[in-house]
Amino acid sequence: MMGHLGRRAIGLAVLLALAAACGQRGGREAGAGGPTPGQPAGVPSAAAIQVAPDAGGAAPDGDPGTTEQPPPGVSSPTPTGRRSAPAVGAAPTGAASTGSASTGPSTPAAAPRSAASGATSSPTGPSPAPVPVSPGTGSSGPGSSGPASGPADRTGVSDTVIKIGVHAPLTGAAPLPQNAFDKGKDVYWKFLAERGGLLGRSVQIIFKDDEFNPAHAVQVCRELVEQDKVFLLFGVAGSEQITACARYANSVGVPYLSAGVNEDGLTGLPNYFAVSQTYAQQNRTIAALVKNRLHKTKIAIVLNATPALNETQRSITAEAQAIGLTIVRQSRISKNASDSELVAEAQQLRSSGAEAVYVLTAPVNFIKLATNAYAQAYSPLWTGPGLTNGLNLVTEAGCPAVDGARWLSPFPQLDAIDRLDPDYTPAYKKYAGGDPDDIGIAEWGLNKTLHLMMDAVGHDLSRQSFVRALTSGRRFASNVFPTVAYDGSIRFGANSMHVLRADCASRTWKTETAFAEGF
């Protein structure tokens, strides 16, 4: 059997090769994989990057879809609404931290919000545009109040099983290896089953590849709802796929949860819930980290050229200016950026004198951008929000260029998980086999949060009772993902993120601050 490191190497090699050589679905072509004119000596193209045995691939945080360039810069930035969650009931034990930031959830530093207070849940066991939809179960349309109204809808729930549908990009411009996802997706539920299950039931995860394409994402979400009859949907990554599926799910009365991405297009959907902070929520912490903790004064902003990230550009611009950072460059790069585009961008960043560079793009683009900059003797502080750039595959391929980068992540890394949740490592070894990885931590934290939410309902689980439980103001504290709390209007209810630091001595991310709420 191929070892753990061998599987990860193949995954990352596929990620890099596809990003360099494959066209995005819909006719958009990536840049050539070979060396490009003007490329500095010593800077490999994506096809030339050699990876030591066993690194893995990951889905990008950058959004698919159009590559239209928005106007450069932001003349009158408007900060997005701040929707941070209320204080947490119980602080986590053993949180890893350096410096003055919170090591356990407490009252957030963000602007106040109006979420109701409530008791913290704990496990019962041991420690875009509107999309066309077809008829489905639940509410009658996008304007309805969702599953909280009408007769109880128990689709996907039997006396013995609860079915959950999950979609994520396994194929596309930068795929997440299915092996990595499959290994860990059931670990938490198998662990829980030995302790009586969820409300006496087992949990079945049904996964589908959304191909990093919003139209296909709606198709697979429709299949999960109408054919597989799942109870709820969960989206892992990709703003446009998540937004498209969330709007579909709302139109048919199905609860939809996802990692935090954009707020535009999701605000006002009664059935949508983010289980980690949105990009806009994370931007306040990032700006304060750069200025107050790391003492940088000049920042550049590099985002994918998709309208879905216009909100993020406005937000980080406003947050940086509000705290006194000088923005020396703003740019938008192609989702499938060519080598020549990334060489030129690295040169422009170096010329700008940016001490810190905020990046929101796919891991492949980030790795190549940092590598090109490093070859030009330019090593700024790299930083940004999102889930996938904080995976160890980035440090495995990006070191030494990414050394010292800081990234916000909804889950801690391997160096901190045993202190925060000592059940994860033994459970992963028992049910998945081999050494645990950070993708497994992400799945464990997501599933643990879902367990707390459904357990809060009680045995009479329906889509309506689930939404009512989530909007009651109750707090859900997994001690892995941030504590979340929602009310009748707030759907972006996370209160913190973990700060990771790229450590190229070990080629891993380290958990610098757990559950950070500000600096």
Side-chain angles (χ1 to χ4, degrees):
M1 180 180 294
M2 183 178 298
H4 171 69
L5 291 179
R7 287 191 298 267
R8 291 181 68 83
I10 291 173
L12 185 56
V14 170
L15 183 154
L16 294 172
L18 284 181
C22 294
Q24 171 70 2
R25 295 177 185 275
R28 292 186 300 274
E29 294 183 356
T36 57
Q39 184 166 344
V43 180
S45 67
I49 294 178
Q50 299 298 315
V51 184
D54 277 349
D61 277 317
D63 298 310
T66 178
T67 55
E68 297 173 6
Q69 288 280 358
V74 178
S75 57
S76 302
T78 303
T80 58
R82 205 52 58 212
R83 300 177 176 89
S84 55
V88 191
T93 58
S97 173
T98 60
S100 60
S102 170
T103 58
S106 61
T107 303
R113 49 158 281 189
S114 59
S117 60
T120 302
S121 289
S122 60
T124 56
S127 119
V131 296
V133 298
S134 58
T137 58
S139 65
S140 58
S144 72
S145 59
S149 61
D153 183 352
R154 297 182 177 85
T155 302
V157 178
S158 72
D159 290 339
T160 58
V161 177
I162 301 170
K163 294 197 290 186
I164 295 174
V166 179
H167 69 96
L170 292 187
T171 55
L176 177 71
Q178 185 161 359
N179 174 266
F181 181 86
D182 284 345
K183 282 171 53 183
K185 68 182 177 64
D186 296 317
V187 167
Y188 181 79
W189 302 117
K190 290 178 179 177
F191 163 81
L192 193 66
E194 288 196 349
R195 290 152 179 79
L198 172 57
L199 307 171
R201 303 171 170 111
S202 63
V203 173
Q204 179 185 1
I205 301 293
I206 303 175
F207 176 83
K208 292 185 185 290
D209 177 14
D210 62 33
E211 299 183 357
F212 205 35
N213 180 302
H216 190 70
V218 173
Q219 178 182 329
V220 300
C221 285
R222 182 180 289 116
E223 291 172 1
L224 287 164
V225 169
E226 299 177 6
Q227 298 176 21
D228 299 306
K229 305 293 185 183
V230 298
F231 173 65
L232 61 81
L233 291 168
F234 192 94
V236 175
S239 294
E240 292 190 357
Q241 295 92 262
I242 285 172
T243 302
C245 272
R247 294 173 71 83
Y248 161 73
N250 188 72
S251 74
V252 293
V254 177
Y256 185 95
L257 292 81
S258 79
V261 285
N262 48 287
E263 298 180 12
D264 285 349
L266 297 170
T267 300
L269 297 182
N271 303 335
Y272 173 77
F273 302 89
V275 300
S276 62
Q277 287 187 322
T278 65
Y279 298 148
Q281 288 175 317
Q282 294 176 58
N283 285 341
R284 176 171 292 189
T285 300
I286 292 173
L289 172 70
V290 170
K291 177 71 181 295
N292 298 336
R293 177 78 165 266
L294 301 173
H295 309 296
K296 308 298 183 183
T297 60
K298 299 178 181 178
I299 190 170
I301 299 167
V302 182
L303 303 171
N304 271 2
T306 170
L309 294 185
N310 290 346
E311 167 197 88
T312 301
Q313 184 176 25
R314 293 192 300 270
S315 167
I316 186 57
T317 299
E319 297 290 2
Q321 292 176 337
I323 206 168
L325 289 168
T326 300
I327 300 173
V328 296
R329 177 172 173 77
Q330 294 206 50
S331 58
R332 305 294 286 266
I333 62 173
S334 304
K335 178 183 179 294
N336 291 316
S338 67
D339 289 339
S340 59
E341 182 179 357
L342 292 169
V343 168
E345 181 61 32
Q347 291 170 339
Q348 291 294 324
L349 290 170
R350 182 172 180 267
S351 297
S352 74
E355 299 168 319
V357 180
Y358 173 102
V359 178
L360 184 51
T361 187
V364 170
N365 282 348
F366 171 45
I367 291 166
K368 293 199 292 181
L369 181 62
T371 301
N372 279 302
Y374 187 80
Q376 299 175 37
Y378 175 55
S379 298
L381 166 71
W382 302 99
T383 189
L387 187 152
T388 55
N389 275 320
L391 291 170
N392 282 332
L393 69 96
V394 171
T395 51
E396 290 167 0
C399 281
V402 301
D403 193 35
R406 302 305 202 279
W407 227 265
L408 265 59
S409 171
F411 54 90
Q413 262 295 339
L414 290 162
D415 64 322
I417 188 61
D418 289 345
R419 295 191 297 274
L420 297 174
D421 191 336
D423 290 325
Y424 168 70
T425 296
Y428 192 94
K429 289 180 178 179
K430 180 175 181 179
Y431 301 112
D435 293 330
D437 60 25
D438 50 354
I439 295 174
I441 295 175
E443 294 169 318
W444 177 272
L446 289 171
N447 288 331
K448 190 175 183 181
T449 300
L450 283 173
H451 166 210
L452 296 173
M453 291 173 172
M454 289 187 283
D455 189 65
V457 178
H459 195 271
D460 189 18
L461 180 63
S462 68
R463 288 169 171 167
Q464 289 87 347
S465 62
F466 179 76
V467 170
R468 284 195 298 269
L470 264 61
T471 56
S472 67
R474 185 186 299 264
R475 302 163 183 178
F476 304 98
S478 71
N479 215 34
V480 180
F481 265 59
T483 295
V484 291
Y486 315 98
D487 66 13
S489 61
I490 302 300
R491 293 297 190 268
F492 312 114
N495 74 326
S496 64
M497 295 287 280
H498 302 279
V499 179
L500 306 182
R501 175 179 56 83
D503 175 35
C504 283
S506 62
R507 302 183 80 86
T508 64
W509 290 98
K510 301 294 187 182
T511 311
E512 184 170 84
T513 306
F515 301 108
E517 298 174 14
F519 295 93

